[in-house]
Amino acid sequence: MIIFGTRGVKSTLQEGEFMCPQCATTKPYKLKKVTKFFTLYFIPLIPLERLGEYVECQSCKGTFVPRVLDYDPNKDKNEFQAHYEQAMRHSMVLIMLADGEIDAKEMEIVLKIINKFGHNNLTLEELENYVHQVQAKQEPVQTYLSKIGPSLNEHGKEIIVKCALSVAAADGNIGEKEIRMITEMAKIMEMPPSHLKGIFHELTKPEPEFSNN
Ligand SMILES: [Zn+2]
């Protein structure tokens, strides 16, 4: 009997030092590649397809998408920060607009979040102008979020999701459209679904129940 099959084989493509988002400092990394191999008697013989590449921090063992290596803390700090502010501002306003209505309380919470977590210094008037811009431009939530989300560590992603939930809950209930958008945001940031589920669960203890409006 001939035993054959396929197997994912990991190999190291590159090693060096990088700014680990989880350790928040420079650490050694390995860039690894996973290749699907045709195996014969459990021995990988023929590479079939590349399944993907990832960066592994040799200190915390956290894994990241390869573009984390492009992040040079000195060179890119300002750029990343600018993207972060932009993504925070944009996604919070979109969440606020998701239910089709804006009330004063939502505006107040969005302003607080943008200024505190988005490291901004907006006035209410500037926020109102920005909301009109967002309404006119109709850019999807991934426009800015996809530039920073996947490079954030789990804590950073969690902050954004929790901020979005606070905005969604500002009018007293979290609607289905808001849940859908927050789920999409988590996906854009490559947050594991189990993590998102945990956040939702924590927020809606004991029984997750969302209204339909
Ligand atoms: Zn690390």
Side-chain angles (χ1 to χ4, degrees), residues 18 20 22-23 27 57 59-62 64:
F18 82 132
C20 173
Q22 211 149 267
C23 301
K27 293 285 180 187
C57 172
S59 176
C60 68
K61 294 289 169 192
F64 309 93

Side-chain angles (χ1 to χ4, degrees), residues 74-136:
N74 301 314
K75 198 177 115 240
D76 292 343
K77 197 173 181 189
N78 293 332
E79 197 187 70
F80 185 84
Q81 189 60 39
H83 284 156
Y84 185 84
E85 287 168 19
Q86 206 172 21
M88 198 60 157
R89 209 164 52 210
H90 187 242
S91 48
M92 292 311 132
V93 168
L94 283 183
I95 287 285
M96 177 168 68
L97 295 172
D99 62 3
E101 276 173 52
I102 309 168
D103 62 41
K105 194 147 179 243
E106 282 183 323
M107 281 294 261
E108 195 189 305
I109 286 183
V110 167
L111 188 65
K112 228 182 248 173
I113 287 174
I114 289 175
N115 284 340
K116 186 179 174 194
F117 295 99
H119 315 291
N120 234 303
N121 208 2
L122 280 186
T123 63
L124 186 61
E125 203 190 345
E126 285 169 329
L127 177 62
E128 278 165 356
N129 287 335
Y130 180 70
V131 170
H132 293 142
Q133 269 180 50
V134 172
Q135 280 175 314

